[in-house]
Amino acid sequence: MTKHPKIWLWAIMLVPWLSVPFIGKKSIKRFFAASLFITLSIRLESYIAEKRKWWWFYERLFPKARGETPLLWGQYLVGSIWILKYTYGHFFKYLIVNFFTDLFFIFPFSDFLKKLGVFSYVRLSRPQVMIIFFVKSLLLYGFQFVKENVTFANGIRLKSKN
């Protein structure tokens, strides 16, 4: 499709950040921790995925960085904040939005990345990837729920004042 997949990878990482000023400081402050948590969790997952050859990145932005770097620090981190901003507190709505977002990534977007020569699934089927994404969506929502609603036995309250 193109001789310059790194340009696309830069765009995948940087373009989502152009939307950050429109999120609002209050929402960024409220949802950044959960988004960072899930991004770092996926970063750890990528070690397992590489070792077990679940998927493979053929192109990297930086030689020593993982192939997932642009997706994680661009679309995933910023996208998680946006999704939580508009769906948190409405679990069914959250699940639907996540389902369609994941479906978009797993089918047309991953096909696009494959055509670019950037990424492909190896030992996981798309339904298996969908299950993994679903579990991660539950972790993201669960982290935010705990952050806002849990009081620990020693009286420490994590509920934010947002």
Side-chain angles (χ1 to χ4, degrees):
M1 182 175 226
T2 180
K3 295 179 183 177
H4 306 289
K6 285 192 178 190
I7 293 171
W8 285 101
L9 291 174
W10 278 107
I12 287 167
M13 187 167 70
L14 298 176
V15 168
W17 286 95
L18 297 175
S19 73
V20 169
F22 303 103
I23 294 173
K25 287 181 185 179
K26 186 177 179 182
S27 294
I28 292 170
K29 184 178 177 182
R30 182 178 181 192
F31 300 120
F32 183 76
S35 297
L36 184 61
F37 163 76
I38 201 65
T39 299
L40 293 173
S41 297
I42 296 167
R43 178 87 166 93
L44 292 174
E45 172 196 61
S46 71
Y47 288 104
I48 298 167
E50 185 174 316
K51 190 170 184 91
R52 295 185 179 187
K53 294 187 180 8
W54 288 353
W55 48 77
W56 192 255
F57 283 85
Y58 302 100
E59 190 70 46
R60 298 169 188 243
L61 275 184
F62 312 104
K64 294 187 180 184
R66 303 201 76 70
E68 293 90 339
T69 298
L71 295 166
L72 291 179
W73 299 108
Q75 291 179 324
Y76 211 90
L77 180 68
V78 176
S80 295
I81 296 170
W82 275 109
I83 289 172
L84 286 170
K85 174 182 173 137
Y86 286 108
T87 64
Y88 185 74
H90 306 279
F91 187 64
F92 185 68
K93 182 179 178 182
Y94 171 81
L95 289 177
I96 290 172
V97 169
N98 255 291
F99 175 78
F100 285 107
T101 303
D102 295 347
L103 209 59
F104 173 78
F105 179 83
I106 291 169
F107 288 94
F109 192 69
S110 64
D111 290 341
F112 172 72
L113 293 176
K114 187 174 183 175
K115 285 180 186 177
L116 288 178
V118 171
F119 162 86
S120 66
Y121 297 111
V122 179
R123 290 192 176 156
L124 281 184
S125 67
R126 292 176 193 230
Q128 289 170 319
V129 175
M130 195 68 179
I131 291 167
I132 291 170
F133 278 24
F134 177 72
V135 170
K136 290 186 283 196
S137 72
L138 295 177
L139 284 172
L140 175 62
Y141 197 92
F143 184 98
Q144 187 65 31
F145 182 84
V146 168
K147 179 180 174 274
E148 293 196 9
N149 295 294
V150 171
T151 303
F152 291 98
N154 60 3
I156 296 173
R157 179 88 175 149
L158 292 180
K159 184 167 176 87
S160 57
K161 301 286 182 190
N162 296 328

